[in-house]
Every structure is written in structure tokens, then in C-alpha cells.
Amino acid sequence: MKLSHKTKSSILIILIIAFGATILVINNAWADDLILPSIHMGLEKSGDPGDVSVLLQIVFLLTILTLAPAILILMTSFTRLAVVFTFLRQAVGTQQTPSNQIIAGLALFLTLFIMMPVWQKINNNALQPYLNEEISQGDAFKAAITPIRTFMFGQTREKDLSLFINMAKMNKPNNKDDIPTSVLIPAFVISELKTAFIIGFVLYVPFLVIDMVVASVLLSMGMMMLPPIMVSLPFKLMLFVLVDGWNLIVGSLVKSFIGG
């Protein structure tokens, strides 16, 4: 039996009224027992200086977390590794293989491996004493920044340091302790970029020779319409595999930081 449109509308209205009545009954029954949370946010006067100190520490911690990616990229070995791997991919001519995610992941874990001695010094000399309330926050920061500064000084050229010291219009420093971290970081970054570009040039040379040889052979055979990159790619991959390229490059990069 089919229901008319008017009958269907009447049934729908009845169901809506019944549902609303049920909600009202449940609301009246639970009104006394139902507890809703309230959130209060505002600025109030504090009589305890410790509350203000804790608030400032939280703000400082959030700021550090915001700057954590920049600290990871610009104050560690990540810059050199990522740039070299990008140059390597372009030199081989594999387009997007390995992908950016793989390159970033490999550079990240190699950075953790290279920087592990620095992290251990920070943990032993700064973090653990601060957590055990043996040193103050200021002393912990100084103890934590010292191993990082030592690492960056070991990879920074004097010419780059002199550039930023002159631009900052500073007096000639007597030792490394007189150079502020704000001057050391940009000098370290451009030193890393220069080193990465030099390594990238060295990586390009053998693959460029293969491209030139293949292009010359194709031109002499009259196969000018065939892209040389398509023919040279298998030879470049074969060369890279035969010399165990990943082992050679990764090993050389790690040794350039930690020696050995």
C-alpha cells in the first residue's frame, strides 16, 4: 500500500515532534546531574613571582620548539648532507628518484649519527644537571651551547667568520669565546653551503663525462633526435653501482665531520 504525499508529511511532522519532546524530557531529567566544563582565559594580577617565572619559561619553551626546525637545519650537518644528496640526484639524472622525502630522511638520520657526540655532551653537562636541579637555567644554556659552538667552529672558515665580524662592526676578537653565536651561525651556514657546492661539483664531473661521450657517439651516428640523457642514464647507474656510490659518498661525508 502506497502512502500519499500528505500522509508522509504528517508522519514526518509527528516524528519530529516526538523527537523534540524526548530531548526536552531527557534534558529536564539530567539538568541537575549534568556538569559541563568551563574554560577561563584572561590576564590577572599575580602575587607570586614564581607564577610569572613559570609562564615565561613556558613561552621560552614554545619559542624553542617553533625554532627547532631552523636549529636542526642551520646548526648541524643537515645542510651539507641535504645539498650534496640533491646534487647527486641531479648529476645522475634520475629526476625525482630518490624522492625528497627519502633524501630528507637520510640526511636527518645521518645528522643524528654525526651529532650524537654533541648531544651526549649536552645531555651530560647541561640537561641532566639542570633536571637534577644542580645548575641554574642560565648555566644549563651555556653548557648546552658550548658543544654546538665547538662543532660549528670546526666546520667554519676563518674567511666567513671575518666577513660577519666586519659586517657586525665588532672589535677583533682575541679568541673564539669573544665571537657571539649570532655571528657564528651565518658564517657556519655559508661555509657549509660552499663545502656542499664543492662536493657537488666533484660529483658532477664523472657523470658529465659520460653524458658528453654518449652525446658525441649519438651525433656521430646521426641519431640526433634521440635524447642523450635517455641513453646515458643506464651507464651512469651502472658506474654508480659498480663503485658502490652510496657507501663511498656517505662514508666520505660522515668522515668529513667526525674524521677517521
Side-chain angles (χ1 to χ4, degrees), residues 210-229 231-232:
I210 294 178
D211 286 332
M212 294 177 63
V213 171
V214 171
S216 299
V217 172
L218 293 178
L219 185 61
S220 62
M221 296 176 61
M223 305 175 65
M224 294 177 292
M225 301 302 295
L226 183 63
I229 297 179
V231 179
S232 63

PDB file of all heavy atoms in Angstrom, residues 210-229 231-232:
ATOM      1  N   ILE A 210      80.330  11.128 -18.957  1.00  0.00           N
ATOM      2  CA  ILE A 210      79.513  10.086 -19.598  1.00  0.00           C
ATOM      3  C   ILE A 210      78.494  10.721 -20.537  1.00  0.00           C
ATOM      4  O   ILE A 210      78.281  10.244 -21.669  1.00  0.00           O
ATOM      5  CB  ILE A 210      78.828   9.227 -18.525  1.00  0.00           C
ATOM      6  CG1 ILE A 210      79.866   8.437 -17.727  1.00  0.00           C
ATOM      7  CG2 ILE A 210      77.829   8.274 -19.167  1.00  0.00           C
ATOM      8  CD1 ILE A 210      79.274   7.601 -16.606  1.00  0.00           C
ATOM      9  N   ASP A 211      77.849  11.803 -20.106  1.00  0.00           N
ATOM     10  CA  ASP A 211      76.872  12.479 -20.967  1.00  0.00           C
ATOM     11  C   ASP A 211      77.531  12.995 -22.243  1.00  0.00           C
ATOM     12  O   ASP A 211      76.954  12.883 -23.345  1.00  0.00           O
ATOM     13  CB  ASP A 211      76.226  13.647 -20.210  1.00  0.00           C
ATOM     14  CG  ASP A 211      75.230  13.177 -19.167  1.00  0.00           C
ATOM     15  OD1 ASP A 211      74.651  12.090 -19.349  1.00  0.00           O
ATOM     16  OD2 ASP A 211      75.030  13.898 -18.167  1.00  0.00           O
ATOM     17  N   MET A 212      78.730  13.560 -22.125  1.00  0.00           N
ATOM     18  CA  MET A 212      79.417  14.098 -23.297  1.00  0.00           C
ATOM     19  C   MET A 212      79.832  12.991 -24.257  1.00  0.00           C
ATOM     20  O   MET A 212      79.707  13.133 -25.488  1.00  0.00           O
ATOM     21  CB  MET A 212      80.641  14.904 -22.858  1.00  0.00           C
ATOM     22  CG  MET A 212      80.308  16.159 -22.069  1.00  0.00           C
ATOM     23  SD  MET A 212      81.771  17.045 -21.491  1.00  0.00           S
ATOM     24  CE  MET A 212      82.517  17.481 -23.058  1.00  0.00           C
ATOM     25  N   VAL A 213      80.302  11.860 -23.719  1.00  0.00           N
ATOM     26  CA  VAL A 213      80.703  10.739 -24.577  1.00  0.00           C
ATOM     27  C   VAL A 213      79.501  10.168 -25.308  1.00  0.00           C
ATOM     28  O   VAL A 213      79.542   9.918 -26.530  1.00  0.00           O
ATOM     29  CB  VAL A 213      81.402   9.651 -23.740  1.00  0.00           C
ATOM     30  CG1 VAL A 213      81.621   8.383 -24.566  1.00  0.00           C
ATOM     31  CG2 VAL A 213      82.723  10.167 -23.206  1.00  0.00           C
ATOM     32  N   VAL A 214      78.417   9.975 -24.606  1.00  0.00           N
ATOM     33  CA  VAL A 214      77.206   9.434 -25.224  1.00  0.00           C
ATOM     34  C   VAL A 214      76.667  10.388 -26.282  1.00  0.00           C
ATOM     35  O   VAL A 214      76.268   9.974 -27.381  1.00  0.00           O
ATOM     36  CB  VAL A 214      76.139   9.141 -24.151  1.00  0.00           C
ATOM     37  CG1 VAL A 214      74.811   8.787 -24.794  1.00  0.00           C
ATOM     38  CG2 VAL A 214      76.595   8.007 -23.251  1.00  0.00           C
ATOM     39  N   ALA A 215      76.659  11.698 -25.976  1.00  0.00           N
ATOM     40  CA  ALA A 215      76.173  12.687 -26.945  1.00  0.00           C
ATOM     41  C   ALA A 215      77.042  12.691 -28.198  1.00  0.00           C
ATOM     42  O   ALA A 215      76.531  12.799 -29.328  1.00  0.00           O
ATOM     43  CB  ALA A 215      76.141  14.063 -26.298  1.00  0.00           C
ATOM     44  N   SER A 216      78.359  12.568 -28.034  1.00  0.00           N
ATOM     45  CA  SER A 216      79.262  12.552 -29.190  1.00  0.00           C
ATOM     46  C   SER A 216      79.031  11.309 -30.048  1.00  0.00           C
ATOM     47  O   SER A 216      79.019  11.387 -31.293  1.00  0.00           O
ATOM     48  CB  SER A 216      80.721  12.595 -28.715  1.00  0.00           C
ATOM     49  OG  SER A 216      80.972  13.773 -27.986  1.00  0.00           O
ATOM     50  N   VAL A 217      78.833  10.166 -29.384  1.00  0.00           N
ATOM     51  CA  VAL A 217      78.592   8.919 -30.126  1.00  0.00           C
ATOM     52  C   VAL A 217      77.281   9.005 -30.899  1.00  0.00           C
ATOM     53  O   VAL A 217      77.204   8.629 -32.084  1.00  0.00           O
ATOM     54  CB  VAL A 217      78.604   7.719 -29.170  1.00  0.00           C
ATOM     55  CG1 VAL A 217      78.163   6.445 -29.899  1.00  0.00           C
ATOM     56  CG2 VAL A 217      79.985   7.519 -28.571  1.00  0.00           C
ATOM     57  N   LEU A 218      76.246   9.490 -30.272  1.00  0.00           N
ATOM     58  CA  LEU A 218      74.952   9.607 -30.954  1.00  0.00           C
ATOM     59  C   LEU A 218      75.029  10.585 -32.116  1.00  0.00           C
ATOM     60  O   LEU A 218      74.423  10.363 -33.178  1.00  0.00           O
ATOM     61  CB  LEU A 218      73.878  10.053 -29.954  1.00  0.00           C
ATOM     62  CG  LEU A 218      73.517   9.042 -28.853  1.00  0.00           C
ATOM     63  CD1 LEU A 218      72.470   9.635 -27.911  1.00  0.00           C
ATOM     64  CD2 LEU A 218      72.986   7.750 -29.457  1.00  0.00           C
ATOM     65  N   LEU A 219      75.768  11.688 -31.942  1.00  0.00           N
ATOM     66  CA  LEU A 219      75.894  12.665 -33.017  1.00  0.00           C
ATOM     67  C   LEU A 219      76.660  12.093 -34.197  1.00  0.00           C
ATOM     68  O   LEU A 219      76.307  12.335 -35.367  1.00  0.00           O
ATOM     69  CB  LEU A 219      76.599  13.916 -32.488  1.00  0.00           C
ATOM     70  CG  LEU A 219      76.717  15.097 -33.455  1.00  0.00           C
ATOM     71  CD1 LEU A 219      75.326  15.585 -33.873  1.00  0.00           C
ATOM     72  CD2 LEU A 219      77.514  16.228 -32.832  1.00  0.00           C
ATOM     73  N   SER A 220      77.713  11.316 -33.903  1.00  0.00           N
ATOM     74  CA  SER A 220      78.489  10.708 -34.988  1.00  0.00           C
ATOM     75  C   SER A 220      77.693   9.646 -35.738  1.00  0.00           C
ATOM     76  O   SER A 220      77.936   9.396 -36.918  1.00  0.00           O
ATOM     77  CB  SER A 220      79.774  10.092 -34.423  1.00  0.00           C
ATOM     78  OG  SER A 220      79.467   9.053 -33.502  1.00  0.00           O
ATOM     79  N   MET A 221      76.734   9.018 -35.049  1.00  0.00           N
ATOM     80  CA  MET A 221      75.891   8.002 -35.687  1.00  0.00           C
ATOM     81  C   MET A 221      74.687   8.624 -36.373  1.00  0.00           C
ATOM     82  O   MET A 221      73.871   7.901 -36.976  1.00  0.00           O
ATOM     83  CB  MET A 221      75.430   6.983 -34.641  1.00  0.00           C
ATOM     84  CG  MET A 221      76.584   6.175 -34.029  1.00  0.00           C
ATOM     85  SD  MET A 221      76.016   5.062 -32.706  1.00  0.00           S
ATOM     86  CE  MET A 221      74.891   3.999 -33.592  1.00  0.00           C
ATOM     87  N   GLY A 222      74.537   9.930 -36.288  1.00  0.00           N
ATOM     88  CA  GLY A 222      73.411  10.589 -36.927  1.00  0.00           C
ATOM     89  C   GLY A 222      72.100  10.452 -36.187  1.00  0.00           C
ATOM     90  O   GLY A 222      71.040  10.771 -36.727  1.00  0.00           O
ATOM     91  N   MET A 223      72.158  10.022 -34.933  1.00  0.00           N
ATOM     92  CA  MET A 223      70.939   9.842 -34.128  1.00  0.00           C
ATOM     93  C   MET A 223      70.714  11.096 -33.281  1.00  0.00           C
ATOM     94  O   MET A 223      70.740  11.078 -32.061  1.00  0.00           O
ATOM     95  CB  MET A 223      71.071   8.596 -33.249  1.00  0.00           C
ATOM     96  CG  MET A 223      71.398   7.331 -34.030  1.00  0.00           C
ATOM     97  SD  MET A 223      71.707   5.893 -32.988  1.00  0.00           S
ATOM     98  CE  MET A 223      70.103   5.678 -32.228  1.00  0.00           C
ATOM     99  N   MET A 224      70.506  12.211 -33.982  1.00  0.00           N
ATOM    100  CA  MET A 224      70.375  13.492 -33.307  1.00  0.00           C
ATOM    101  C   MET A 224      69.037  13.640 -32.600  1.00  0.00           C
ATOM    102  O   MET A 224      68.895  14.469 -31.700  1.00  0.00           O
ATOM    103  CB  MET A 224      70.568  14.625 -34.311  1.00  0.00           C
ATOM    104  CG  MET A 224      71.973  14.699 -34.889  1.00  0.00           C
ATOM    105  SD  MET A 224      72.143  15.992 -36.128  1.00  0.00           S
ATOM    106  CE  MET A 224      71.097  15.310 -37.431  1.00  0.00           C
ATOM    107  N   MET A 225      68.033  12.882 -32.991  1.00  0.00           N
ATOM    108  CA  MET A 225      66.708  13.002 -32.386  1.00  0.00           C
ATOM    109  C   MET A 225      66.580  12.200 -31.101  1.00  0.00           C
ATOM    110  O   MET A 225      65.613  12.365 -30.367  1.00  0.00           O
ATOM    111  CB  MET A 225      65.630  12.547 -33.376  1.00  0.00           C
ATOM    112  CG  MET A 225      65.619  13.336 -34.677  1.00  0.00           C
ATOM    113  SD  MET A 225      65.369  15.105 -34.388  1.00  0.00           S
ATOM    114  CE  MET A 225      63.721  15.099 -33.711  1.00  0.00           C
ATOM    115  N   LEU A 226      67.554  11.341 -30.825  1.00  0.00           N
ATOM    116  CA  LEU A 226      67.495  10.524 -29.614  1.00  0.00           C
ATOM    117  C   LEU A 226      68.122  11.303 -28.464  1.00  0.00           C
ATOM    118  O   LEU A 226      69.282  11.718 -28.560  1.00  0.00           O
ATOM    119  CB  LEU A 226      68.236   9.206 -29.819  1.00  0.00           C
ATOM    120  CG  LEU A 226      68.203   8.215 -28.649  1.00  0.00           C
ATOM    121  CD1 LEU A 226      66.782   7.764 -28.367  1.00  0.00           C
ATOM    122  CD2 LEU A 226      69.091   7.006 -28.954  1.00  0.00           C
ATOM    123  N   PRO A 227      67.399  11.540 -27.367  1.00  0.00           N
ATOM    124  CA  PRO A 227      67.966  12.299 -26.235  1.00  0.00           C
ATOM    125  C   PRO A 227      69.162  11.574 -25.633  1.00  0.00           C
ATOM    126  O   PRO A 227      69.058  10.394 -25.259  1.00  0.00           O
ATOM    127  CB  PRO A 227      66.807  12.381 -25.237  1.00  0.00           C
ATOM    128  CG  PRO A 227      65.568  12.135 -26.051  1.00  0.00           C
ATOM    129  CD  PRO A 227      65.985  11.196 -27.141  1.00  0.00           C
ATOM    130  N   PRO A 228      70.310  12.243 -25.506  1.00  0.00           N
ATOM    131  CA  PRO A 228      71.490  11.578 -24.918  1.00  0.00           C
ATOM    132  C   PRO A 228      71.265  11.150 -23.463  1.00  0.00           C
ATOM    133  O   PRO A 228      71.828  10.134 -23.028  1.00  0.00           O
ATOM    134  CB  PRO A 228      72.580  12.659 -25.018  1.00  0.00           C
ATOM    135  CG  PRO A 228      72.113  13.596 -26.078  1.00  0.00           C
ATOM    136  CD  PRO A 228      70.606  13.588 -25.998  1.00  0.00           C
ATOM    137  N   ILE A 229      70.439  11.905 -22.720  1.00  0.00           N
ATOM    138  CA  ILE A 229      70.214  11.557 -21.314  1.00  0.00           C
ATOM    139  C   ILE A 229      69.552  10.193 -21.188  1.00  0.00           C
ATOM    140  O   ILE A 229      69.855   9.422 -20.277  1.00  0.00           O
ATOM    141  CB  ILE A 229      69.361  12.648 -20.642  1.00  0.00           C
ATOM    142  CG1 ILE A 229      70.104  13.984 -20.645  1.00  0.00           C
ATOM    143  CG2 ILE A 229      69.014  12.262 -19.220  1.00  0.00           C
ATOM    144  CD1 ILE A 229      69.325  15.126 -20.024  1.00  0.00           C
ATOM    145  N   VAL A 231      69.975   7.622 -23.090  1.00  0.00           N
ATOM    146  CA  VAL A 231      70.946   6.558 -23.333  1.00  0.00           C
ATOM    147  C   VAL A 231      72.008   6.511 -22.233  1.00  0.00           C
ATOM    148  O   VAL A 231      72.472   5.440 -21.840  1.00  0.00           O
ATOM    149  CB  VAL A 231      71.608   6.759 -24.711  1.00  0.00           C
ATOM    150  CG1 VAL A 231      72.641   5.672 -24.987  1.00  0.00           C
ATOM    151  CG2 VAL A 231      70.555   6.781 -25.810  1.00  0.00           C
ATOM    152  N   SER A 232      72.388   7.693 -21.720  1.00  0.00           N
ATOM    153  CA  SER A 232      73.475   7.738 -20.742  1.00  0.00           C
ATOM    154  C   SER A 232      73.035   7.324 -19.340  1.00  0.00           C
ATOM    155  O   SER A 232      73.884   6.944 -18.519  1.00  0.00           O
ATOM    156  CB  SER A 232      74.061   9.151 -20.684  1.00  0.00           C
ATOM    157  OG  SER A 232      73.093  10.082 -20.231  1.00  0.00           O
TER     158      SER A 232
END
